[in-house]
Amino acid sequence: KQEVTQIPAALSVPEGENLVLNCSFTDSAIYNLQWFRQDPGKGLTSLLLIQSSQREQTSGRLNASLDKSSGRSTLYIAASQPGDSATYLCAVRRGTYNTDKLIFGTGTRLQVFP
Amino acid sequence: NAGVTQTPKFQVLKTGQSMTLQCAQDMNHNSMYWYRQDPGMGLRLIYYSASEGTTDKGEVPNGYNVSRLNKREFSLRLESAAPSQTSVYFCAVTGRSYNSPLHFGNGTRLTVT
């Protein structure tokens, strides 16, 4: 059974720091991995999607990497800002049966203070 | 262009009451999903619909029913609400390709007393 874990559960950093969020999954047979951002009281916003054949994706100050063999993905946020404060979730799409289903981690709650 | 719209935003029910959560999309996507989000448990899939006319159970379908009314609309019904169904419910949509990103609505916060 695919399990997705995100560590740490919460993180508080001063503005300007570069930071890394981690996502681990137990079954390497994935189709892709997505990173989402969730603001309080809101839905999830897709940030980056990495296909299983890719090693990384970049969007602005965000860079996500994928290492299928070790079951890990990282989300790197450069020069963090208070506006980056949110919960970040990763989700994997299975690569075998039930490919329609995504398995979510429980998220990392990030606070960036001025 | 609203994307994914969920109604209502908030709802309070008494145990045993029924209600339908509505989801509509203007993104012309094929696949639609219902998730529930609970503290410490992340998002769990209730039901999904890969295309108009088809629905399948997810991880936690008990106590729920769904209807894929047309390509745009996917509703979730609670026939007899229970306190364990207190949660935030999200509708999401994605395109035909498995490499299409998932787009979420803003959620319905449901409390069952």
Side-chain angles (χ1 to χ4, degrees):
Chain A
K1 179 184 175 182
Q2 178 72 276
E3 293 183 359
V4 180
T5 305
Q6 292 187 246
I7 295 173
L11 186 62
S12 183
V13 300
E15 181 178 9
E17 275 204 6
N18 301 323
L19 54 99
V20 174
L21 307 181
N22 297 295
C23 173
S24 300
F25 47 95
T26 55
D27 186 347
S28 62
I30 65 170
Y31 210 89
N32 58 47
L33 184 144
Q34 297 183 54
W35 281 95
F36 296 86
R37 168 187 173 133
Q38 185 176 26
D39 293 290
K42 299 290 186 182
L44 282 70
T45 299
S46 180
L47 297 173
L48 291 164
L49 182 149
I50 312 176
Q51 299 179 31
S52 62
S53 59
Q54 297 173 328
R55 294 295 296 235
E56 65 179 272
Q57 282 285 331
T58 298
S59 176
R61 294 183 294 108
L62 304 179
N63 176 279
S65 67
L66 175 65
D67 184 343
K68 276 180 51 178
S69 61
S70 66
R72 292 183 181 179
S73 176
T74 61
L75 180 66
Y76 175 84
I77 303 177
S80 58
Q81 303 170 359
D84 294 328
S85 298
T87 298
Y88 291 82
L89 297 96
C90 64
V92 299
R93 186 186 288 275
R94 297 179 182 177
T96 52
Y97 67 98
N98 286 333
T99 307
D100 280 314
K101 299 179 181 178
L102 280 78
I103 308 298
F104 283 82
T106 52
T108 294
R109 189 170 65 253
L110 172 66
Q111 181 182 14
V112 181
F113 53 91
Chain B
N1 186 356
V4 182
T5 302
Q6 291 184 237
T7 55
K9 289 184 170 55
F10 301 93
Q11 185 70 52
V12 178
L13 292 178
K14 293 184 178 180
T15 297
Q17 288 184 319
S18 62
M19 78 161 295
T20 299
L21 283 66
Q22 306 285 356
C23 175
Q25 54 126 346
D26 61 7
M27 306 180 76
N28 200 34
H29 282 341
N30 290 299
S31 300
M32 300 185 74
Y33 304 79
W34 277 106
Y35 287 91
R36 60 178 289 174
Q37 186 176 37
D38 303 288
M41 302 194 73
L43 279 102
R44 293 180 292 169
L45 182 63
I46 306 171
Y47 270 95
Y48 69 100
S49 171
S51 61
E52 182 180 352
T54 68
T55 60
D56 285 286
K57 295 179 180 179
E59 184 183 355
V60 288
N62 292 343
Y64 306 95
N65 286 302
V66 290
S67 295
R68 182 73 183 268
L69 304 171
N70 47 55
K71 190 171 185 178
R72 291 187 62 248
E73 298 171 293
F74 189 37
S75 62
L76 179 71
R77 183 161 178 83
L78 286 70
E79 291 290 350
S80 179
S84 61
Q85 294 179 306
T86 293
S87 186
V88 182
Y89 291 85
F90 289 101
C91 176
V93 306
T94 190
R96 187 181 297 276
S97 166
Y98 290 137
N99 283 319
S100 297
L102 206 59
H103 300 276
F104 281 80
N106 281 332
T108 294
R109 187 175 296 275
L110 174 66
T111 301
V112 183
T113 61

